[in-house]
Amino acid sequence: MPAIVLVGAQWGDEGKGKATDLLGSSVDYVVKFNGGNNAGHTVVIGEEKYALHLLPSGILTPGCTPVIANGVVVDLGVLIEELDGLEARGVDTSSLLVSANAHVIPPYNRVLDKVTERFLGKRRLGTTGRGIGPTYADKMSRVGVRVQDLYDESILRQKVTAALDFKNQVLAKIYNRRAVEVEEVMAELLRHAERVRPMVTDTALVLNQALDRGETVLFEAGQATLLDVDHGTYPFVTSSNATSGGACTGSGVPPTRVDRVVGILKAYSTRVGEGPFPTELDDEHGEFLRNQGAEFGTTTGRPRRCGWVDAVVGRYAQRVNGITDFVITKLDVLTGLERVPVCVGYDVQGTRHDEMPVNQSDFHHAVPVYEELPGWAEDISGCRTFEELPDNAQRYVLRLEELIGARVSAIGVGPGRDATIQRYPLLG
């Protein structure tokens, strides 16, 4: 049985939970391998809607083991709050596993994240202010706090003291903020240590052993391809690798064990935060997409920037991730449009680009080249086979498939778990 990597093919919020639901009971483990509580999944089950920020969506699937792997940065308070919220709604969360090597978000990094963003002013990056970036920076600087450190108070105190020796200088002398006390940090980090202890394990070992037994492991990326710190629209990116390669470094499962990469592509484009967005619409069409698609952040509540689908971005995502199958989500949102434009290239100061420009400056100045396809007015939310879709909706999907370079295996036609057309199996 396979290891499957699930990635967002745009700027996030593509509806990755839809693909997780499609795999359903076939998945034994769902692994979050990057990011933290700076992005979220919304999962709709019947009449119930669940907003997940730190937890893998597999926590809602009975019999599936959810895993927070080593590449994630963990806000302990958020973790416990999410677990308590789900348990209050009758969801069994007892199978959650957390990597001992995952880094913990200490309170001083949340403070630094917020004050730094304010300090940048117009040059701000659009972070969520949840301490994600500073915690990844600590990880790379080798001064981070890991989950396993919670269970050796002496080591934890040494790490916190060493970090604050520097960070308090920054807070006080650059940002004119109150210094953070060591004991204050220790108290917050240790508050939930015993609650988390039964979940903590060597998740890399667990996952490799599961694959040895022939079980199916799904790796679920946070954020998306164009927010990847290496392959995204830098510097307007997240602080981790949200592409398929990050699944290996973020989990301890080697690339030789990955069988399939599934990319999620929304039928239009959205983005939250700052940064270039060639197909962005600041008109009635943008408002139409935002309102019809309920495009407001799961984690932040911020209205998302909206635009037409960008096939250049989709093709780029296919290449850097090695996407074998695409899932197109929210096709139903386009219902009612007379014409549906698709970006097939860019004009950069008179030069045509059919692939992503190598320079960020060129991408920033890219003017989309559109191909217009006929729209449809029929309600497609009840369609369950490709043939049931209106002819123009079929043409839209087939043209996207041609442009992005991999087969479209599934299509989302509504928010519910069952509102999906499956053209090809995502397993086997």
Side-chain angles (χ1 to χ4, degrees):
M1 296 298 285
I4 304 169
V5 181
L6 184 67
V7 296
Q10 294 156 307
W11 282 277
D13 309 308
E14 299 93 348
K16 292 182 280 292
K18 177 72 72 175
T20 307
D21 290 340
L22 272 180
L23 295 163
S25 59
S26 301
V27 175
D28 300 295
Y29 291 80
V30 174
V31 184
K32 184 179 176 75
F33 63 81
N34 77 299
N37 58 308
N38 55 336
H41 297 304
T42 299
V43 180
V44 180
I45 305 175
E47 299 299 316
E48 295 290 321
K49 180 183 287 188
Y50 298 89
L52 305 176
H53 307 282
L54 182 57
L55 294 169
S57 59
I59 201 157
L60 298 172
T61 304
C64 177
T65 300
V67 177
I68 294 176
N70 59 275
V72 179
V73 290
V74 180
D75 186 313
L76 295 171
V78 170
L79 175 62
I80 299 305
E81 183 180 347
E82 281 199 47
L83 290 172
D84 288 345
L86 289 178
E87 287 168 5
R89 297 174 68 179
V91 177
D92 180 10
T93 65
S94 61
S95 60
L96 176 67
L97 300 179
V98 178
S99 172
N101 289 339
H103 280 245
V104 172
I105 300 175
Y108 47 77
N109 278 345
R110 294 196 298 272
V111 174
L112 276 169
D113 199 357
K114 292 173 183 174
V115 298
T116 301
E117 191 76 347
R118 283 199 293 270
F119 179 79
L120 288 172
K122 292 181 179 180
R123 294 177 290 113
R124 65 188 182 275
L125 299 176
T127 78
T128 58
R130 286 164 167 78
I132 309 294
T135 302
Y136 275 116
D138 284 357
K139 178 179 180 177
M140 295 306 173
S141 299
R142 293 161 293 178
V143 294
V145 175
R146 297 195 292 179
V147 169
Q148 60 182 275
D149 298 329
L150 300 175
Y151 307 105
D152 188 324
E153 193 168 332
S154 174
I155 287 178
L156 180 62
R157 188 178 300 276
Q158 289 175 41
K159 288 193 170 188
V160 169
T161 301
L164 286 179
D165 282 346
F166 172 73
K167 291 175 186 284
N168 274 335
Q169 296 292 320
V170 175
L171 284 170
K173 295 182 179 178
I174 296 178
Y175 297 122
N176 196 30
R177 292 294 297 265
R178 177 182 68 84
V180 178
E181 298 293 333
V182 171
E183 294 308 318
E184 175 187 338
V185 175
M186 291 290 292
E188 177 171 324
L189 294 179
L190 292 173
R191 184 178 303 130
H192 303 298
E194 289 309 308
R195 172 80 179 275
V196 173
R197 188 191 286 267
M199 311 169 194
V200 179
T201 189
D202 182 348
T203 55
L205 176 63
V206 169
L207 295 172
N208 278 285
Q209 288 177 336
L211 290 169
D212 289 340
R213 293 192 300 268
E215 295 178 301
T216 300
V217 178
L218 178 67
F219 298 90
E220 185 180 65
Q223 291 86 36
T225 299
L226 290 190
L227 296 179
D228 184 281
V229 69
D230 284 294
H231 303 289
T233 49
Y234 189 90
F236 303 101
V237 293
T238 193
S239 303
S240 59
N241 288 114
T243 41
S244 58
C248 298
T249 55
S251 70
V253 172
T256 51
R257 308 206 73 159
V258 175
D259 298 85
R260 186 163 293 185
V261 179
V262 178
I264 315 304
L265 187 81
K266 199 180 288 186
Y268 51 98
S269 300
T270 61
R271 177 166 197 168
V272 173
E274 308 300 319
F277 182 7
T279 67
E280 184 172 13
L281 298 167
D282 292 316
D283 58 13
E284 70 277 8
H285 288 115
E287 281 300 312
F288 174 86
L289 294 174
R290 185 176 298 109
N291 293 327
Q292 293 295 111
E295 295 297 348
F296 300 90
T298 302
T299 296
T300 63
R302 290 185 288 185
R304 296 173 184 144
R305 300 157 65 190
C306 295
W308 302 122
V309 74
D310 190 329
V312 182
V313 164
R315 191 159 57 248
Y316 174 77
Q318 191 281 324
R319 185 172 72 250
V320 299
N321 290 292
I323 291 171
T324 57
D325 300 77
F326 275 99
V327 175
I328 292 180
T329 59
K330 290 196 167 184
L331 185 64
D332 54 302
V333 171
L334 301 180
T335 298
L337 293 170
E338 186 175 340
R339 307 287 294 176
V340 186
V342 176
C343 175
V344 296
Y346 306 130
D347 181 285
V348 182
Q349 298 179 338
T351 301
R352 169 72 178 253
H353 289 253
D354 292 316
E355 302 292 346
M356 288 281 286
V358 67
N359 296 321
Q360 178 76 4
S361 179
D362 286 345
F363 187 64
H364 180 77
H365 292 100
V367 176
V369 176
Y370 286 116
E371 176 181 309
E372 286 201 343
L373 299 175
W376 60 93
E378 300 92 331
D379 180 8
I380 65 171
S381 61
C383 297
R384 294 298 177 266
T385 68
F386 188 68
E387 292 70 26
E388 290 176 324
L389 287 173
D391 289 345
N392 286 345
Q394 292 185 37
R395 291 189 189 102
Y396 184 78
V397 172
L398 292 174
R399 181 57 178 145
L400 270 185
E401 184 176 62
E402 182 181 7
L403 289 166
I404 59 184
R407 69 184 189 180
V408 173
S409 293
I411 304 156
V413 293
R417 268 188 159 176
D418 62 335
T420 307
I421 294 167
Q422 189 156 358
R423 294 177 72 206
Y424 307 105
L426 295 179
L427 281 173

